[in-house]
């Protein structure tokens, strides 16, 4: 097995779909491989917009050959139009991962924020700043969709990356998150 894990993180969206690829080594150090935003016009037909997102994701997979794909899980919002577009882009990303033979997972926004900042309600600026720090970048990735894609990739590598993410190598924030998940599971089992 390789000593590093390459993860493609996807922040799904129709107008802006963030894609970021990171390598995470056995000591949990992340290295930026690629980051970009796939854009489509809000005036285009939905099928055309999804085709643009699909082509962009396929190109990143072909060029960077990730070991896994992580997609931000769609969450309920007041704006059903935005949720539908995000869900459709998410479905395209998961389909392409499956067609490419890559394992794929989804992570909630709060799970991603907690993994990279230690705080599940961190704002976009905090996530961008931490991504710049973790990946040793000169400036935070812009726009926020790009930083979010990298955060999703790091979250996946750290939390689900198999040999790369060993229990003893968890950051304090990740240990706190894992402990909270354990308590929640215990509570749910105990609740009739």
């Amino acid at each position: 097995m390789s000593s590093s894990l390459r993860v493609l993180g996807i922040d799904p969206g129709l107008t802006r779909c963030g894609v970021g690829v990171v390598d995470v080594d056995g000591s949990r150090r992340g290295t930026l491989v690629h980051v970009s935003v796939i854009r489509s016009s809000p005036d285009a037909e939905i099928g055309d917009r999804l085709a643009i997102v699909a082509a962009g994701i396929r190109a990143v997979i072909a060029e960077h050959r990730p070991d896994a794909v992580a997609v931000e899980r769609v969450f309920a919002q007041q704006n059903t139009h935005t949720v539908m577009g995000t869900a459709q882009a998410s479905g395209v990303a998961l389909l392409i991962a499956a067609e490419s033979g890559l394992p794929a997972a989804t992570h909630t926004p709060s799970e991603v924020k907690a993994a990279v900042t230690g705080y599940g309600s961190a704002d976009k600026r905090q996530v961008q700043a931490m991504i710049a720090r973790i990946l040793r970048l000169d400036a935070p990735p812009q726009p926020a969709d790009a930083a979010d894609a990298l955060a999703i990739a790091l979250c996946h590598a750290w939390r689900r990356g198999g040999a790369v993410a060993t229990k003893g190598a968890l950051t304090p924030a990740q240990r706190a998150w894992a402990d909270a998940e354990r308590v929640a599971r215990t509570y749910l089992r105990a609740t009739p």
Side-chain angles (χ1 to χ4, degrees), residues 1 4-10 20 22 57 61 65-72 90-107 152-153 155-157 160-163:
M1 179 174 172
S4 69
L5 180 71
R6 178 167 287 186
V7 180
L8 166 58
I10 300 173
V22 296
I57 293 170
I61 289 173
R65 304 279 184 214
D67 300 310
V69 175
V71 181
E72 185 173 87
S90 178
V92 165
L94 293 168
L95 172 67
I96 291 169
E99 287 177 345
S100 302
L102 296 170
T106 60
H107 300 280
I152 293 160
C155 173
H156 182 77
R160 309 255 166 103

Side-chain angles (χ1 to χ4, degrees), residues 27-108:
S27 66
R28 304 171 49 75
R29 183 178 167 123
T31 303
L32 174 67
V33 175
H34 170 84
V35 66
S36 62
V37 176
I38 303 164
R39 298 175 188 272
S40 73
S41 170
D43 300 327
E45 294 293 323
I46 186 70
D48 294 336
R49 295 178 79 188
L50 290 170
I52 290 167
V53 170
I57 293 170
R58 283 189 180 105
V60 170
I61 289 173
E63 183 175 347
H64 299 289
R65 304 279 184 214
D67 300 310
V69 175
V71 181
E72 185 173 87
R73 185 176 301 156
V74 178
F75 59 96
Q77 293 180 3
Q78 298 291 340
N79 186 341
T80 56
H81 180 72
T82 300
V83 155
M84 288 301 296
T86 302
Q88 290 165 331
S90 178
V92 165
L94 293 168
L95 172 67
I96 291 169
E99 287 177 345
S100 302
L102 296 170
T106 60
H107 300 280
T108 66

